[in-house]
Amino acid sequence: MSTCWLVTGADGMLARDVTARIAADGERGAALGRAALDITGPDDVRAALAAHRPDVVVNCAAWNDVDGAETHEEAAHAANATGPRVLAEACKESGAVLLHVSTDYVFAGDAHEPYPEDASTAPRGAYARSKAAGERAVLELLPETGHVVRTAWLYGAGGRNFVRTMIGLEAARETVDVVDDQRGQPTWSADLADLLLRLGRGALDGSVPPGIQHGTSSGETTWYGLTREIFRLLGADPDRVRPTTSAAFERPAPRPAYSVLGHERLRTSGIEPIREWREALGEAFPEIVRAHRESRATGP
């Protein structure tokens, strides 16, 4: 019997890839955007679960405007903390597994080696606090069926992201200054979608225990290193990318200097971590370039 999935935040880049993967695997699923489902509404969430009867709920709905959260913390908290709590309460009633997507921002970003899944969180900034609160809600309410999947540096063809921005800047500027003092793991949304489905199936058959998993690519680099690779894939001179520091780009919200996440719990559950970031970027790149060019051709 195939798994039935319910995906929230259906208009977002990750949700689109999750939904596409469900369809490609021939399984049943429903994808609901905010117009169809406001995850902060308990009655609406219960009704959606009753209508679709999912085995697994994948929560991709979130407030992702990191800087905007500094001036709209209440709205960020509603989406990133209240919403996951409401979903967890409904999943507890229905018996569905909940996969909740979270972020590297829950950590302080001052480490020097990959953060293990059980490392202490120390969120900095309104966005980070809201995401940490959402994690706590899921883990507290669903100790047997709740899964928090942290990701970072997400990119893909279906939305605005760093890789698409750099593709545009390569065509528009002779040189590009990019920070070289923030380290992380560029992660293709399609690879994360694949991992989420593997985790959901493992949760149902009991091979993946509840709790926290890290859904990021293997390896690590800086934004500067990532941009050089983007230029190389474009056939452009990587030396046109110039390293700079975070201090040169003041932002309302603090950015983690170190966002590398470990994958030990995946391995102990028999789940292969996401592949090395360069390999994934190389495979994703033609689709991302095509989507970028199509959006420019149809834009205003």
Side-chain angles (χ1 to χ4, degrees):
M1 185 174 179
S2 66
T3 303
C4 182
W5 306 80
L6 176 63
V7 183
T8 66
D11 300 324
M13 178 176 68
L14 175 60
R16 292 174 187 174
D17 282 341
V18 172
T19 303
R21 183 55 191 268
I22 291 168
D25 288 353
E27 296 190 331
R28 296 175 296 133
L32 303 178
R34 182 167 183 178
L37 177 62
D38 178 357
I39 64 168
T40 67
D43 292 341
D44 291 343
V45 170
R46 290 192 189 96
L49 266 64
H52 297 285
R53 303 173 63 87
D55 301 301
V56 182
V57 175
V58 185
N59 182 33
C60 299
W63 176 291
N64 290 320
D65 181 355
V66 175
D67 290 326
E70 293 300 310
T71 52
H72 298 86
E73 185 163 3
E74 184 175 339
H77 186 87
N80 294 341
T82 302
R85 176 172 290 279
V86 170
L87 281 171
E89 289 170 344
C91 287
K92 186 174 183 179
E93 294 174 6
S94 72
V97 167
L98 176 59
L99 299 181
H100 170 63
V101 180
S102 191
T103 174
D104 59 301
Y105 274 75
V106 299
F107 296 119
D110 56 1
H112 301 285
E113 57 185 25
Y115 283 100
E117 294 83 353
D118 60 355
S120 297
T121 58
R124 301 167 60 220
Y127 167 76
R129 289 191 294 270
S130 71
K131 294 297 287 186
E135 286 193 1
R136 290 194 298 271
V138 171
L139 296 173
E140 290 169 3
L141 286 166
L142 296 174
E144 302 299 326
T145 56
H147 298 255
V148 169
V149 185
R150 295 178 182 136
T151 193
W153 292 30
L154 207 60
Y155 68 87
R160 295 177 58 188
N161 55 78
F162 182 85
V163 173
R164 286 189 59 164
T165 297
M166 291 302 109
I167 291 171
L169 290 180
E170 186 280 327
R173 299 181 184 177
E174 181 59 32
T175 61
V176 179
D177 294 343
V178 184
V179 296
D180 196 31
D181 57 1
Q182 297 175 24
R183 299 194 69 81
Q185 297 155 305
T187 303
W188 185 19
S189 53
D191 275 352
L192 178 57
D194 171 73
L195 176 64
L196 288 168
L197 266 63
R198 287 187 284 144
L199 287 172
R201 294 174 184 131
L204 291 174
D205 69 21
S207 62
V208 176
I212 299 169
Q213 303 282 358
H214 285 165
T216 52
S217 290
S218 301
E220 62 183 80
T221 187
T222 65
W223 294 114
Y224 166 71
L226 171 57
T227 307
R228 285 182 60 88
E229 183 66 8
I230 292 167
F231 272 49
R232 188 188 71 79
L233 289 169
L234 287 168
D237 183 1
D239 288 340
R240 289 169 53 201
V241 184
R242 304 185 304 190
T244 188
T245 65
S246 300
F249 293 92
E250 292 188 10
R251 307 290 290 274
R255 264 59 177 176
Y258 187 84
S259 291
V260 182
L261 307 182
H263 307 123
E264 188 57 34
R265 288 200 78 218
L266 287 175
R267 294 187 179 92
T268 58
S269 298
I271 300 289
E272 186 68 22
I274 295 174
R275 57 187 158 171
E276 203 268 342
W277 70 268
R278 285 185 183 85
E279 178 187 348
L281 180 63
E283 182 175 331
F285 208 70
E287 180 185 0
I288 296 173
V289 171
R290 182 167 58 252
H292 173 75
R293 289 174 178 166
E294 288 174 353
S295 68
R296 286 178 58 85
T298 59

